Amino acid sequence: DDSDTGGTAAGKPFVAEREAGIKGDLPPEARRLWRYDTATGRYATVAGDAADFRADLSRPARSFTLAYMDPWASSPFAIPIREGVEREAERLGLRLIYCDAAFKADKAVECAELLARQRPAFAVAGNWQAGAADALMRVFDEARVPTASIDVWQPNSIFYGADNYTSGEIAGRAAGAYARREWNCEDVWLFMGENKEEGKAADQRLVGFADGVQSVCGTIDDDRIHRQRMAAATGDQALTVTTDWLTAHPQAEHLLAVTIDDPRAAGIAKAIGQSGRDGQVAGMTCDDVGVELTKQGPASETNYLGCVAFFPERAAEYLVGIALDVVGGRAVPEEVHLQHEFLTHENIGETYP
Amino acid sequence: MSDALLRLDAVTKRFGESHVLRGVDLRIAPREAVGLIGDNGAGKSTLVKILSGVHAPTSGTIEFGGRPVRFGTPLEARSAGIEMIFQDLALCDDLDAAANVFLGREPRRRGVAGVGRWLDRRAMRAQAAAVFEQLGAAIPVDQQVGEMSGGQRQLVAVARALEFEPRLLLMDEPTAALSNAKIHMLLEMVRRLKDRDVAVLLISHRFTDLIEVCDRIVALRDGRIAAEIAPRGRDVAELMAEMQEALTGETLRAVA
Amino acid sequence: MSDALLRLDAVTKRFGESHVLRGVDLRIAPREAVGLIGDNGAGKSTLVKILSGVHAPTSGTIEFGGRPVRFGTPLEARSAGIEMIFQDLALCDDLDAAANVFLGREPRRRGVAGVGRWLDRRAMRAQAAAVFEQLGAAIPVDQQVGEMSGGQRQLVAVARALEFEPRLLLMDEPTAALSNAKIHMLLEMVRRLKDRDVAVLLISHRFTDLIEVCDRIVALRDGRIAAEIAPRGRDVAELMAEMQEALTGETLRAVA
Amino acid sequence: MSAVKPTLAGGPDTAGPVTRRALRTAGARLDVVSLALIAVLAIEIVAFSIASPYFLDADNFSNIGRAMTIVGIAAIGQTIVIIAGGFDLSVGSVMAAAGMLAAWLVNEGLTLPLALLAAVVLGVGVGLLNGAVAGYLRINPLITTLATLAIVRGLAFVISGGEAEVVADAGFLAIGTDSVAGIPVVVVILVVLFLAVGCLMPRTRFGRYTYAVGSNARAARLAGVAVNRWRLVFYGLSGSLAAIAGCVTVARTGQAEPAANMGAELDVITAVILGGTSLNGGRGRLFGTFLGLAVLAVLNNGLILVGVESYWQQVVKGVVLLLAVAWAELRRGSKDEV
Amino acid sequence: MSAVKPTLAGGPDTAGPVTRRALRTAGARLDVVSLALIAVLAIEIVAFSIASPYFLDADNFSNIGRAMTIVGIAAIGQTIVIIAGGFDLSVGSVMAAAGMLAAWLVNEGLTLPLALLAAVVLGVGVGLLNGAVAGYLRINPLITTLATLAIVRGLAFVISGGEAEVVADAGFLAIGTDSVAGIPVVVVILVVLFLAVGCLMPRTRFGRYTYAVGSNARAARLAGVAVNRWRLVFYGLSGSLAAIAGCVTVARTGQAEPAANMGAELDVITAVILGGTSLNGGRGRLFGTFLGLAVLAVLNNGLILVGVESYWQQVVKGVVLLLAVAWAELRRGSKDEV
Ligand SMILES: Nc1ncnc2c1ncn2[C@@H]1O[C@H](COP(=O)(O)OP(=O)(O)OP(=O)(O)O)[C@@H](O)[C@H]1O
Ligand SMILES: Nc1ncnc2c1ncn2[C@@H]1O[C@H](COP(=O)(O)OP(=O)(O)OP(=O)(O)O)[C@@H](O)[C@H]1O
Ligand SMILES: [Mg+2]
Ligand SMILES: [Mg+2]
């Protein structure tokens, strides 16, 4: 294992290109339209253009039960999704049932069993443990409950969510632009806070980031790319371990950093600032910490370049929209991706006033 | 006896369904030393534990110093002037001898610059050493009690009760682990306490100890006070036989 | 005495810098009952704990049954045939009396369908009840030891040692918490054990107990065996004075 | 000197009838905790039946049973270890490591029974290590198992490279999904294990020494019990059961990941302590643990069915935990003073 | 009957000189743990100095100090609680809740001292609740604080709606970033708190009763110590120190989140036990805790500086933890038999 160097052998340039045909990461033209067949309990491909899909959020003729399986209630990113689903369900007069998978595989299966038992017309099967996908989808399939998934591809389930690689790449490009502007792309080091426990999808954000930076600044030597484990999804540990790493790498003059979410990014930014080093961190998801820090700006003071917006607060419009369509017997695309955008101190006010 | 220091009327105690005390009546006058005998498991310890606030009686009344009392905690009994030496000693093994002697009643002095109240460790050590000397035992006051011999531990428990002059001293087999020399010193101290107006209730299986210091000896049997003996000026062998009889309810032959 | 069952030569024991035993020489013959006296803290318990494999001696040699031994654990001493009643009893409070008596040596029988070996609980209860009866104590064999009175606990510890006939029985103040009746029964049992070839080392502060059963009484002072007394056929009062002297090294006046 | 000798041979003393009855109280005392838990369980069931139409459903009871299994299997071993005065924090890590080993071996083509056996051997190994360190080296079991928790989890990550192992073996998955006579296989496994160990406890030296070592390890050693060797047995058992729990996790979720079952040790210990086992050792019963598990599982299930918000669920669980234990304790206290 | 009476008034017995020396050993015995930890610390420092040119740097020692503060402040209170025979698992939750409260109040415009005071009051409140439940209701402290852990964390989520609070108040942030004479303010806070409580321990009833209650709560109660009232003090102190640690977290990271400091209780307890405090109560020292903290912090720091792969770090930490404790225990054991 060589996770220190992000999957390449020592000495070689960092190459981590997006793979083609990855489920949950299909390009728009490869996405097909699906319709749920209640008799078989499976989605079947139908003719039509997936690109035309628009969620229809009008009140359904008959109310139904919507199950929402929360991938991780404590995650700052999942909170606005849940709140949005609750809001939409209430507005549309749907009966909402809920279960928190707590980012645990066994809990996810348990939730699937509990929710399926209550015979919902549709389930948002939010689960970030990719390996548990088969087990929990079997439960929903047996109960003939159509589902959509959040951020992790699951079999016989509509994928909705982030474009993880792309989001990383967007951040990487923004960071690369900063590097070209401020440092002429000289002596650039990449520092990435990772946590394998959070799965491959999250990992794609880091791969995308490295590719994004290199697309602007050219190849960065492998020994200048460091992956640092940050297990706890909080700022405190990120601050300490980043400080220690910086101490051990005084030669890392220009630092571009990224990690999986905003709280950890905030910790990295603090560490860069406190150590008096020259560097920027790009946040991911733009949760309340990310938005707040980006607003605080400017980046030259906070070392917080900005964040890639995942718009979790809008997720419900899509998810509930998909539910309405599927329950209404309409066809929907097998993958629905949201549009990412890099928000900076200068432009964040337009999105999050 | 309306001027009794302690007065128990029909005190009973049950543990679950087991009736340990079935109606104990007992009076102790000020300055009086009363011996309490009884077979193993007769309920002697249970009785004194009620008096020291460890157990609540199931029924019955207790008067102390002329007024009815019902001690909820050992602290209440202690504040009322009842000191107790427990059969299992009840020591903190990790503390040293001096700390155990003064536990719960540490002398204190003003702290640095008159702020706060700090433990007067020197006073505790000196006073504890003095009590041990009176008992004829050279116990190092700063040795941890957990490392001491059985007899040394008992002496620490005894010293704790003697250090503070109570109105009533309850002693539950205080001499069990002591050598003769120490027992002698201890009984000597009990006698001196009596002279200073302390009443004593002494539990022991050693009849000679009781005969030596007690004004009166009572026997607990079948959960009641079954007999009372006044030892003053009587023949020891005869007394011993009488006590043994009181204890078992059977007449005994003295053995060669 | 080359045919001694137990033979100690120059056994010493230090705890850190404290020299508790400074060179103990002792022999015990088969069938012999030896009494061990000494002031509180003299090192009696330390000595028998060395013999039962609890402590390792700092130096010196121990022979048992004619060959040199060095017990690393209580189990080794027990297997060699040495049984011990500890001064602090060493009982498991959460187990009942029968379980404590047989702890470490539970009788077992074939399990269901002859598979495995299951505890023979009925046998344990019956045998434990029999020993208690021999001691004159009606202790319920299935009461938790933690709820028992001080004397009842001591009887359980005694019963444990008596249930298995060892070659050498070490008794560390086994009568301290017992009533006279129980003490009498206990000493009676010791005498019977002797008749069945068990050697006994009995520690006690109660001189009368020792005089009653011991062939020889030794006194531990200043970490050495300081005196030896043969009580057989001698006047009790005189013996008591002699023992007290052996204990303290001072000549004593007998008191009225 | 004149000594006095009574003629009491074999005569009963005053304590006889008294203590015989005290015993029954002692027996009843343990039951007080169980009774309180049964009452809490009854209250939960009634309340949730009223609040949710889906609760009183045979299928839902299967759900509850399935949800109990992983924590439950590990709780059997933990109960033993805690009664014996120990502590095993490493169970969560052992679950993950053993699950990964079994999954990997099955994926490599080994037969399922051998793969499961290997996982159990791994669990026993970690358990023996725990027992040896806590016993022979006299190291606090909390520290010991905290260290093996970190070591085992770390190695699971190192060896797997942090990657999950997805299991496709039908037999393995069937363990997690199949039912026998309507009862999920995993529930059968749980109940069988509970009954087996529960049956050994009062009837074997193993069971007796569990209580003896926990009650007073020094006294047990002085009585000739090979305390440290028995500790190997206790921790080894806990490790092997944790390994089984880990395999059940894999069977249920279809994946083995190094991060699985993180923090499971707390759930396990909660159930054990709620069941009335004393952390001071020497006291406790497997039946209590089973009730503790059931109380927690029904609560989890019911709160979800009723739709209590997930943050509130934590709060409610904490409060119920406190109330249940407080109630048992108060009832026990009042019994003491009857 | 003829009794025998000696003429020994006040005469010394044989035990005198013997036990006086035994005492010195007893004193030395505690130090054995500290000495072992100091040796481990020295080994770590030498090894990391050789392995990394950046280790022996004044700034790096500031880093290490800063990294110690959060766990360290909470560890002071935890040491007290554990010596007193208790356990406080709620510290991580209290840190998060108190930090959020302070951050929210400051953002609402309250002055910094008042906001911090409110946070400490919250911590004391939870501590008093823990102490009351564990003491008066006689509920196992592990269960008690496991319940409050869940309740407090749950409420932090409920009240905040899961949202983080970013702090902009310069004074608040300065606590986390400023230095006095080259020493970080947070390190000064840590050291002052250690010295203050450490100074009280041997000199006050508070300190003495900490040991007495932990050594034998029953004996202490029988001696007239108001054990349950003192438990309020112990747990209240632990709560207040956890609250301070929570505020330090906010000052250092500039954000208060309901998920902060999750699992911190394990780090805290690890440091305390590593420092030689006995989980059975009655034994332990603050100085040992400080050394335990230092050993862990230097290890964390050094492993990163040396570039040990992150998964291996866990393994190495577990092994070092075991070795350190085993060494201390072996040295103590050999002392016993000199
Ligand atoms: N907490 C308790 N629960 C149940 N039974 C108890 C409890 N405490 C004491 N007993 C029982 O009450 C009876 C009396 O016990 P107690 O300790 O008062 O006897 P004692 O007269 O002091 O005996 P000894 O001379 O052996 O010390 C005993 O049979 C004992 O088993
Ligand atoms: N583990 C230990 N550590 C240090 N000192 C000890 C230890 N055990 C015993 N001692 C000391 O050794 C001396 C002898 O103790 P021991 O228990 O052998 O005395 P003893 O003769 O049995 O006294 P007693 O008649 O009071 O039971 C005492 O001074 C005691 O304090
Ligand atoms: Mg008694
Ligand atoms: Mg002794």
Side-chain angles (χ1 to χ4, degrees):
Chain A
D1 180 275
D2 47 2
S3 62
D4 257 2
T5 52
T8 62
K12 291 193 190 131
F14 186 93
V15 193
E17 292 213 333
R18 178 180 199 165
E19 270 182 64
I22 290 187
K23 296 276 180 65
D25 206 11
L26 297 175
E29 61 278 10
R31 296 170 196 162
R32 297 161 302 170
L33 272 181
W34 271 4
R35 180 179 288 124
Y36 193 76
D37 180 352
T38 346
T40 61
R42 306 207 67 82
Y43 285 104
T45 307
V46 296
D49 189 355
D52 285 346
F53 172 72
R54 290 285 171 279
D56 175 12
L57 278 172
S58 54
R59 200 179 172 100
R62 209 181 320 141
S63 171
F64 60 86
T65 298
L66 173 66
Y68 181 65
M69 182 163 143
D70 198 333
W72 192 8
S74 303
S75 157
F77 178 70
I79 290 165
I81 304 181
R82 188 205 74 221
E83 286 172 348
V85 170
E86 284 168 355
R87 198 178 52 234
E88 290 300 322
E90 174 154 7
R91 190 178 64 79
L92 299 170
L94 304 180
R95 180 172 168 275
L96 185 67
I97 58 177
Y98 173 88
C99 186
D100 177 14
F103 194 54
K104 287 186 176 140
D106 52 329
K107 280 267 172 259
V109 176
E110 221 177 292
C111 276
E113 286 169 347
L114 260 177
L115 293 174
R117 195 72 65 208
Q118 298 175 64
R119 307 261 160 234
F122 188 87
V124 177
N127 158 48
W128 292 342
Q129 295 279 351
D134 285 339
L136 71 91
M137 283 313 302
R138 202 177 308 119
V139 176
F140 282 120
D141 290 349
E142 268 172 25
R144 304 281 188 269
V145 178
T147 63
S149 309
I150 302 175
D151 280 348
V152 165
W153 182 85
Q154 306 191 104
N156 194 34
S157 182
I158 294 166
F159 175 94
Y160 165 81
D163 220 331
N164 285 302
Y165 176 89
T166 306
S167 67
E169 201 182 19
I170 291 171
R173 275 187 224 252
Y178 178 91
R180 158 131 8 110
R181 191 167 68 243
E182 298 289 324
W183 310 320
N184 197 24
C185 282
E186 279 163 19
D187 290 321
V188 174
W189 288 62
L190 299 191
F191 181 81
M192 310 197 277
E194 68 169 358
N195 180 20
K196 289 239 169 85
E197 289 142 50
E198 285 166 52
K200 282 203 159 160
D203 195 63
Q204 284 294 305
R205 298 177 194 174
L206 309 189
V207 174
F209 180 81
D211 285 355
V213 173
Q214 293 181 98
S215 70
V216 179
C217 283
T219 303
I220 293 172
D221 274 356
D222 186 57
D223 56 8
R224 292 192 168 188
I225 299 177
H226 178 73
R227 284 176 164 239
Q228 177 64 51
R229 184 169 139 94
M230 294 172 184
T234 61
D236 172 43
Q237 196 202 16
L239 167 54
T240 300
V241 297
T242 306
T243 305
D244 288 342
W245 185 83
L246 288 174
T247 304
H249 296 83
Q251 71 275 30
E253 272 183 47
H254 301 138
L255 201 72
L256 293 178
V258 73
T259 181
I260 305 158
D261 56 20
D262 288 313
R264 273 174 279 201
I268 295 174
K270 273 269 170 204
I272 296 172
Q274 278 179 22
S275 309
R277 304 289 279 273
D278 193 0
Q280 289 291 332
V281 61
M284 282 281 171
T285 74
C286 285
D287 68 13
D288 36 343
V289 171
V291 170
E292 204 52 50
L293 273 176
T294 306
K295 280 187 180 171
Q296 244 178 47
S300 54
E301 281 171 22
T302 58
N303 305 97
Y304 204 86
L305 189 62
C307 54
V308 182
F310 281 47
F311 306 110
E313 69 280 358
R314 282 190 224 153
E317 297 168 20
Y318 289 91
L319 286 168
V320 179
I322 292 167
L324 292 176
D325 280 336
V326 171
V327 173
R330 291 181 287 277
V332 296
E334 59 179 322
E335 292 192 11
V336 178
H337 289 263
L338 55 89
Q339 300 290 310
H340 295 284
E341 200 180 315
F342 194 76
L343 305 182
T344 63
H345 181 59
E346 288 68 34
N347 68 12
I348 193 164
E350 297 161 19
T351 314
Y352 293 107
Chain B
M1 236 195 286
S2 66
D3 56 343
L5 174 66
L6 178 75
R7 190 188 159 125
L8 274 68
D9 284 297
V11 168
T12 70
K13 176 68 187 174
R14 294 197 301 168
F15 291 107
E17 286 171 40
S18 92
H19 295 246
V20 177
L21 302 178
R22 292 161 178 270
V24 172
D25 303 301
L26 182 67
R27 274 139 197 68
I28 300 181
R31 276 174 156 265
E32 196 182 20
V34 176
L36 179 59
I37 58 176
D39 202 352
N40 293 125
K44 305 180 294 299
S45 298
T46 305
L47 180 61
V48 287
K49 278 183 188 165
I50 289 173
L51 297 179
S52 65
V54 175
H55 291 315
T58 306
S59 69
T61 58
I62 304 174
E63 279 182 25
F64 185 68
R67 63 185 60 170
V69 290
R70 210 188 166 89
F71 303 126
T73 64
L75 187 54
E76 285 171 36
R78 221 185 191 191
S79 315
I82 297 180
E83 200 66 31
M84 166 136 175
I85 300 171
F86 290 91
Q87 186 171 12
D88 66 355
L89 308 182
L91 299 172
C92 289
D93 278 357
D94 299 301
L95 299 188
D96 64 24
N100 267 289
V101 168
F102 285 93
L103 190 59
R105 280 178 302 202
E106 292 79 3
R108 288 183 295 167
R109 55 182 173 77
R110 288 247 154 269
V112 176
V115 185
R117 312 248 285 138
W118 285 13
L119 297 180
D120 194 344
R121 289 180 286 176
R122 198 176 308 167
M124 281 191 263
R125 276 201 293 270
Q127 277 171 252
V131 195
F132 288 133
E133 202 174 317
Q134 279 187 288
L135 284 163
I139 290 178
V141 292
D142 36 16
Q143 184 177 2
Q144 272 187 32
V145 163
E147 289 177 348
M148 290 186 173
S149 82
Q152 289 169 333
R153 293 168 57 83
Q154 184 138 47
L155 286 165
V156 173
V158 167
R160 178 198 286 178
L162 296 182
E163 174 64 31
F164 304 91
E165 260 177 39
R167 295 168 71 191
L168 172 63
L169 176 58
L170 308 170
M171 306 174 95
D172 196 351
E173 307 196 22
T175 60
L178 298 190
S179 71
N180 287 339
K182 306 277 182 299
I183 293 177
H184 174 66
M185 312 289 282
L186 172 62
L187 297 179
E188 189 55 50
M189 287 194 72
V190 169
R191 231 178 267 123
R192 256 181 277 152
L193 283 177
K194 263 176 60 185
D195 293 343
R196 293 203 295 264
D197 272 352
V198 178
V200 175
L201 182 62
L202 175 59
I203 298 177
S204 180
H205 293 296
R206 300 174 62 106
F207 292 173
T208 48
D209 295 358
L210 299 173
I211 293 172
E212 227 180 296
V213 293
C214 292
D215 303 307
R216 208 153 44 94
I217 297 166
V218 298
L220 193 58
R221 203 176 70 231
D222 298 332
R224 293 197 179 77
I225 300 292
E228 199 175 309
I229 300 161
R232 192 63 25 100
R234 295 183 49 198
D235 175 62
V236 169
E238 189 184 304
L239 269 173
M240 306 260 297
E242 196 173 319
M243 284 162 80
Q244 190 62 37
E245 188 186 331
L247 217 136
T248 59
E250 294 178 34
T251 317
L252 299 158
R253 323 166 251 135
V255 190
Chain C
M1 237 195 286
S2 66
D3 58 340
L5 174 67
L6 178 75
R7 188 186 159 124
L8 274 69
D9 284 298
V11 167
T12 70
K13 177 68 188 174
R14 294 196 300 167
F15 291 107
E17 286 170 40
S18 92
H19 295 246
V20 177
L21 302 178
R22 293 162 178 271
V24 172
D25 302 303
L26 182 68
R27 272 139 199 69
I28 301 181
R31 276 174 157 266
E32 195 182 20
V34 177
L36 179 59
I37 57 175
D39 202 353
N40 293 124
K44 304 181 293 300
S45 297
T46 304
L47 181 62
V48 287
K49 279 184 188 163
I50 289 173
L51 297 179
S52 66
V54 175
H55 290 316
T58 306
S59 69
T61 59
I62 305 174
E63 279 182 26
F64 185 68
R67 62 185 60 172
V69 291
R70 209 186 166 93
F71 303 126
T73 64
L75 187 54
E76 285 172 35
R78 223 184 188 191
S79 315
I82 297 180
E83 199 67 30
M84 167 138 174
I85 300 170
F86 290 90
Q87 186 169 14
D88 67 356
L89 308 182
L91 300 171
C92 290
D93 278 357
D94 299 301
L95 299 189
D96 64 25
N100 266 287
V101 168
F102 286 93
L103 190 60
R105 279 177 304 200
E106 292 79 4
R108 288 183 295 167
R109 55 181 174 80
R110 288 247 154 271
V112 175
V115 184
R117 311 248 285 137
W118 286 14
L119 296 180
D120 193 344
R121 288 180 286 176
R122 197 175 309 165
M124 283 191 262
R125 276 201 293 269
Q127 278 173 251
V131 194
F132 289 133
E133 202 174 318
Q134 278 187 287
L135 285 164
I139 291 179
V141 292
D142 37 15
Q143 183 175 3
Q144 273 187 31
V145 163
E147 287 177 348
M148 291 186 170
S149 81
Q152 289 169 332
R153 293 167 57 82
Q154 184 138 45
L155 287 165
V156 173
V158 167
R160 177 198 287 178
L162 296 182
E163 174 62 32
F164 304 90
E165 262 177 37
R167 296 167 69 191
L168 172 63
L169 176 57
L170 308 171
M171 307 176 94
D172 196 352
E173 307 196 21
T175 60
L178 299 189
S179 72
N180 288 340
K182 306 276 182 299
I183 292 177
H184 174 67
M185 313 289 282
L186 174 60
L187 297 179
E188 190 56 50
M189 287 196 71
V190 170
R191 232 178 267 122
R192 254 181 280 153
L193 283 177
K194 262 176 61 183
D195 292 342
R196 292 203 294 263
D197 272 350
V198 178
V200 175
L201 181 63
L202 175 59
I203 299 177
S204 180
H205 293 296
R206 300 173 63 107
F207 293 172
T208 48
D209 295 358
L210 299 173
I211 292 171
E212 225 179 299
V213 292
C214 291
D215 304 305
R216 208 150 46 89
I217 297 166
V218 298
L220 193 59
R221 204 176 71 231
D222 298 332
R224 293 196 179 78
I225 300 294
E228 199 175 308
I229 300 161
R232 194 60 27 98
R234 294 182 50 197
D235 175 62
V236 168
E238 190 185 303
L239 269 174
M240 305 260 298
E242 197 174 317
M243 284 163 79
Q244 190 62 37
E245 188 185 329
L247 217 136
T248 58
E250 294 178 36
T251 316
L252 299 158
R253 322 167 253 136
V255 189
Chain D
M1 198 207 115
S2 57
V4 175
K5 294 176 188 171
T7 54
L8 272 185
D13 64 11
T14 50
V18 165
T19 44
R20 214 173 295 273
R21 285 198 207 109
L23 159 80
R24 264 180 260 145
T25 328
R29 190 179 288 183
L30 256 185
D31 273 327
V32 166
V33 176
S34 303
L35 286 175
L37 288 176
I38 290 170
V40 171
L41 206 51
I43 294 173
E44 284 181 355
I45 291 175
V46 170
F48 289 135
S49 305
I50 295 168
S52 164
Y54 304 101
F55 183 81
L56 266 194
D57 185 288
D59 280 346
N60 189 44
F61 280 98
S62 285
N63 284 348
I64 295 174
R66 279 208 202 89
M68 280 168 69
T69 50
I70 295 169
V71 167
I73 293 172
I76 297 172
Q78 189 79 244
T79 306
I80 302 292
V81 169
I82 294 182
I83 291 177
F87 219 78
D88 190 354
L89 288 178
S90 70
V91 287
S93 298
V94 171
M95 287 183 203
M100 291 218 66
L101 181 66
W104 179 71
L105 288 176
V106 162
N107 284 352
E108 291 289 305
L110 206 66
T111 64
L112 182 60
L114 280 179
L116 296 180
L117 184 69
V120 172
V121 168
L122 175 71
V124 172
V126 177
L128 292 181
L129 179 68
N130 285 333
V133 173
Y136 293 102
L137 296 185
R138 284 180 290 161
I139 294 182
N140 182 296
L142 197 96
I143 279 285
T144 304
T145 57
L146 206 58
T148 47
L149 176 157
I151 294 170
V152 172
R153 177 77 67 185
L155 286 176
F157 269 107
V158 168
I159 292 167
S160 67
E163 313 246 322
E165 191 87 28
V166 176
V167 173
D169 184 274
F172 204 160
L173 297 177
I175 297 174
T177 49
D178 279 11
S179 291
V180 188
I183 302 166
V185 172
V186 288
V187 174
V188 174
I189 294 175
L190 176 74
V191 171
V192 166
L193 286 173
F194 254 104
L195 289 180
V197 180
C199 172
L200 292 179
M201 291 299 283
R203 289 182 183 76
T204 58
R205 287 200 306 184
F206 157 70
R208 179 143 297 181
Y209 293 169
T210 305
Y211 287 93
V213 170
S215 180
N216 189 340
R218 186 181 148 269
R221 203 177 51 247
L222 293 180
V225 175
V227 170
N228 284 337
R229 229 171 301 154
W230 282 103
R231 285 205 173 106
L232 296 181
V233 176
F234 305 143
Y235 284 94
L237 183 72
S238 178
S240 68
L241 287 166
I244 295 175
C247 293
V248 168
T249 309
V250 175
R252 266 175 63 67
T253 62
Q255 72 159 349
E257 14 134 34
N261 309 101
M262 233 179 228
E265 56 276 359
L266 269 192
D267 296 336
V268 171
I269 291 168
T270 306
V272 174
I273 305 289
L274 179 60
T277 294
S278 159
L279 268 183
N280 301 323
R283 277 158 188 262
R285 287 200 309 177
L286 274 177
F287 181 57
T289 299
F290 191 84
L291 289 175
L293 278 170
V295 165
L296 295 172
V298 170
L299 188 63
N300 269 324
N301 176 280
L303 288 178
I304 294 172
L305 286 188
V306 171
V308 172
E309 221 212 299
S310 73
Y311 304 144
W312 277 112
Q313 282 182 26
Q314 271 201 70
V315 178
V316 173
K317 275 184 238 170
V319 170
V320 170
L321 190 61
L322 268 192
L323 290 182
V325 184
W327 188 15
E329 195 52 53
L330 288 179
R331 291 222 41 199
R332 180 198 302 209
S334 64
K335 271 268 165 183
D336 238 353
E337 289 301 330
V338 162
Chain E
M1 195 207 115
S2 57
V4 174
K5 294 177 188 172
T7 53
L8 271 184
D13 65 10
T14 50
V18 165
T19 44
R20 212 173 294 274
R21 286 199 206 109
L23 158 80
R24 263 180 259 144
T25 327
R29 190 178 288 184
L30 257 186
D31 273 328
V32 166
V33 175
S34 302
L35 285 174
L37 288 176
I38 290 171
V40 171
L41 205 52
I43 293 172
E44 284 182 356
I45 291 176
V46 169
F48 289 136
S49 304
I50 294 168
S52 164
Y54 309 104
F55 183 79
L56 268 193
D57 186 289
D59 278 349
N60 191 45
F61 279 96
S62 286
N63 288 349
I64 295 174
R66 279 209 199 89
M68 280 169 70
T69 50
I70 295 168
V71 167
I73 292 171
I76 297 172
Q78 190 78 246
T79 306
I80 302 293
V81 169
I82 294 183
I83 291 178
F87 219 79
D88 190 353
L89 287 177
S90 71
V91 287
S93 298
V94 170
M95 287 183 202
M100 291 217 65
L101 180 66
W104 179 70
L105 288 177
V106 161
N107 285 352
E108 290 290 305
L110 205 67
T111 63
L112 182 60
L114 280 179
L116 296 180
L117 184 68
V120 171
V121 168
L122 175 70
V124 171
V126 176
L128 291 181
L129 179 68
N130 284 333
V133 173
Y136 293 101
L137 296 185
R138 284 181 291 161
I139 294 182
N140 182 296
L142 198 95
I143 280 285
T144 305
T145 57
L146 206 57
T148 47
L149 175 157
I151 295 171
V152 171
R153 176 77 66 183
L155 286 177
F157 269 104
V158 169
I159 292 168
S160 67
E163 309 240 325
E165 195 82 33
V166 175
V167 173
D169 184 275
F172 205 160
L173 296 177
I175 296 174
T177 49
D178 280 9
S179 291
V180 189
I183 302 166
V185 172
V186 287
V187 174
V188 173
I189 294 174
L190 176 73
V191 171
V192 167
L193 286 172
F194 255 104
L195 289 179
V197 180
C199 171
L200 291 179
M201 290 299 283
R203 290 184 183 76
T204 58
R205 288 201 306 184
F206 157 70
R208 179 145 295 183
Y209 293 169
T210 305
Y211 287 94
V213 170
S215 179
N216 189 339
R218 185 181 149 268
R221 202 178 52 248
L222 293 180
V225 175
V227 170
N228 284 338
R229 230 171 300 154
W230 282 102
R231 285 205 174 106
L232 296 181
V233 176
F234 305 144
Y235 283 93
L237 183 72
S238 178
S240 68
L241 287 166
I244 295 175
C247 293
V248 167
T249 309
V250 175
R252 266 170 60 69
T253 61
Q255 53 177 328
E257 327 149 62
N261 309 100
M262 234 178 227
E265 55 276 0
L266 269 192
D267 296 336
V268 171
I269 291 168
T270 305
V272 173
I273 305 289
L274 180 60
T277 294
S278 159
L279 267 183
N280 302 323
R283 277 157 188 260
R285 288 199 310 175
L286 274 177
F287 182 57
T289 298
F290 191 83
L291 289 175
L293 279 170
V295 165
L296 294 172
V298 169
L299 189 62
N300 275 326
N301 173 276
L303 288 177
I304 295 176
L305 288 195
V306 172
V308 172
E309 210 222 301
S310 57
Y311 297 139
W312 277 111
Q313 284 180 23
Q314 269 200 70
V315 179
V316 173
K317 274 185 240 171
V319 171
V320 170
L321 189 61
L322 268 193
L323 289 182
V325 184
W327 189 15
E329 196 51 52
L330 287 179
R331 291 221 42 199
R332 181 197 301 206
S334 64
K335 272 268 166 181
D336 238 353
E337 288 301 331
V338 161

